[in-house]
Amino acid sequence: MSSVLRNLRLSRSLILPSCSRAAVNFFSLRTRQTSALSLCSEFDTRPFINPNRKYSGKRFNVPPSAEFVARVSGIPTMAKLPYQETADGLDAAFIGVPIDTGTSNRPGARFGPRQIRVESALLRSYNSGTTAAPYESLMVADIGDVNVNVYDLKDTCKRIRETYRKVLATGCIPLTMGGDHTIAYPILQAVAEKHGPVGLIHVDAHADTSDVVLGEKIGHGTPFRRCVEEGLLDCKRVVQIGLRGTGYSADSYEWSRAQGFRVVQVEECWYKSLAPLMAEVRAQMGSGPVYLSFDIDALDPGFAPGTGTPEIAGLTPIQGVEIIRGCRGLNLVGCDLVEVSPAYDTTGNTALTGANLLFEMLCVLPKVKYL
């Protein structure tokens, strides 16, 4: 053992001279923080606290940098954030809802949260495009998954609703990894209990407003019909973006428009930036509470094939990012990214795209600072 430690010290002495001053500071910081807990503190992979806070003296959770901790090491959590069992003390939390019991076509979305977490190891702490610094602004952690019932969808909805009531009661904003889109219904039940009817920005290939499918009223094609029936949505502040595909009638979105929703079919999005659209959406949403629900199948399957109900001619990832960044300044009270089905994309790129979109959602939450 003594020879191993001597080799480690020798390796460190060889590495440090070529490191930047920041790396030297990192090693000394980690040694001070963990000397009582680890014999070899420089190999401790737990998240560290950045001492150079620009905005607050609070201690925030900061993911470990891949400059010092290998991405492939450690137990996968979202963005390699710390895991904790509850939302207590958090401003925002990543939470998984691993179900595909409500899926009508290709299954597998129950594995979406797990794969998103794996691919999220590539994420870094700052948003280079917008200069958002979420981990210098909010206390964030991964609080694991809802304990779903894969045999009973109605019971799963009850479990989701009860879990989100507890999360929201702490003042935490949930960032959800699905799971099929059924989960939006019980989540919005809990959200509306706390905030009242909310505005909705729904990004999807499908309207998800069917009434009954194969005799069932609860499934991934029905959540927003149920939400309207229960008064969970402020219908004049609902926009659906990216809708497309074949339908069961000549106008598949007639019901949405009749409720007062703004429907933006994908043809209105082709060949253009969606920044002007989002300026209009921000005006529509106003200062009231808003929920953002993003189905990965809103993106063209050429970019995101790993989903259950793909539709051609969809949005680009650039447009997806524009939509989310366009939510900056809104009173977002919750977000989700759903319908990632990893088995249909062996590259992992669909889950990686989902992880990046979730990070973009984190970056536009209220109180996030921009450098």
Side-chain angles (χ1 to χ4, degrees):
M1 176 60 115
S2 61
S3 64
V4 171
L5 292 175
R6 279 199 303 274
N7 288 336
L8 290 176
R9 285 194 291 268
L10 176 59
S11 297
R12 180 181 173 190
S13 68
L14 292 173
I15 292 170
L16 282 178
S18 63
C19 291
S20 66
R21 182 177 300 275
V24 175
N25 290 341
F26 167 81
F27 278 117
S28 61
L29 171 65
R30 294 298 292 134
T31 301
R32 289 197 300 273
Q33 286 183 331
T34 63
S35 59
L37 300 174
S38 174
L39 289 175
C40 301
S41 61
E42 57 265 49
F43 295 98
D44 192 314
T45 60
R46 292 172 301 158
F48 64 94
I49 304 300
N50 184 339
N52 300 313
R53 291 289 158 222
K54 297 180 183 297
Y55 302 105
S56 172
K58 295 180 180 178
R59 294 166 62 87
F60 296 110
N61 292 332
V62 181
S65 170
E67 297 169 290
F68 310 111
V69 180
R71 290 190 175 98
V72 294
S73 67
I75 297 171
T77 59
M78 182 61 188
K80 302 199 82 171
L81 283 161
Y83 165 77
Q84 67 180 57
E85 292 185 354
T86 73
D88 293 340
L90 299 179
D91 300 304
F94 291 103
I95 179 170
V97 186
I99 68 160
D100 54 19
T101 322
T103 302
S104 60
N105 191 42
R106 305 191 306 200
R110 68 181 64 186
F111 301 110
R114 181 175 298 176
Q115 193 65 35
I116 289 170
R117 287 184 171 105
V118 169
E119 302 299 338
S120 74
L122 191 59
L123 296 174
R124 302 170 185 88
S125 297
Y126 296 90
N127 190 318
S128 299
T130 65
T131 74
Y135 305 121
E136 293 193 7
S137 314
L138 306 174
M139 181 62 83
V140 191
D142 187 327
I143 60 172
D145 293 338
V146 176
N147 182 22
V148 299
N149 182 345
V150 296
Y151 299 108
D152 188 330
L153 185 56
K154 292 182 176 64
D155 183 50
T156 285
C157 287
K158 177 182 177 182
R159 291 169 181 235
I160 295 169
R161 183 170 57 250
E162 291 175 349
T163 298
Y164 277 75
R165 281 172 176 162
K166 294 176 183 177
V167 170
L168 292 162
T170 69
C172 176
I173 298 175
L175 297 161
T176 303
M177 301 170 277
D180 74 57
H181 220 154
T182 308
I183 69 176
Y185 168 45
I187 292 172
L188 281 165
Q189 285 180 314
V191 168
E193 283 183 15
K194 180 175 177 64
H195 297 285
V198 296
L200 173 69
I201 299 173
H202 173 209
V203 190
D204 204 325
H206 311 98
D208 293 350
T209 54
S210 296
D211 184 15
V212 178
V213 178
L214 297 176
E216 296 294 329
K217 283 185 160 295
I218 297 177
H220 76 162
T222 67
F224 301 114
R225 171 82 69 127
R226 303 287 86 84
C227 287
V228 169
E229 291 173 345
E230 296 184 18
L232 310 180
L233 302 179
D234 179 355
C235 292
K236 293 180 180 179
R237 294 194 304 122
V238 175
V239 60
Q240 297 182 302
I241 303 172
L243 306 189
R244 63 187 188 277
T246 54
Y248 297 112
S249 65
D251 185 356
S252 299
Y253 316 120
E254 180 180 10
W255 188 88
S256 291
R257 293 189 182 97
Q259 312 314 306
F261 296 4
R262 178 176 181 179
V263 175
V264 182
Q265 292 181 230
V266 76
E267 289 82 0
E268 300 176 53
C269 303
W270 287 349
Y271 314 118
K272 65 179 68 173
S273 166
L274 298 188
L277 168 65
M278 291 311 297
E280 297 173 2
V281 169
R282 287 194 299 276
Q284 178 183 356
M285 296 297 151
S287 60
V290 179
Y291 187 86
L292 171 60
S293 187
F294 198 120
D295 189 323
I296 201 70
D297 72 23
L299 304 185
D300 187 88
F303 299 108
T307 191
T309 317
E311 303 284 357
I312 69 164
L315 302 177
T316 68
I318 294 171
Q319 291 175 314
V321 170
E322 284 184 311
I323 291 169
I324 298 172
R325 291 184 181 178
C327 294
R328 181 180 174 186
L330 295 179
N331 180 19
L332 287 172
V333 295
C335 308
D336 66 50
L337 187 288
V338 299
E339 298 283 359
V340 171
S341 186
Y344 298 98
D345 183 1
T346 56
T347 68
N349 287 345
T350 303
L352 176 62
T353 300
N356 276 273
L357 294 177
L358 282 159
F359 178 74
E360 293 285 346
M361 293 175 189
L362 174 64
C363 289
V364 296
L365 292 185
K367 300 182 180 179
V368 168
K369 310 291 185 176
Y370 288 72
L371 300 180

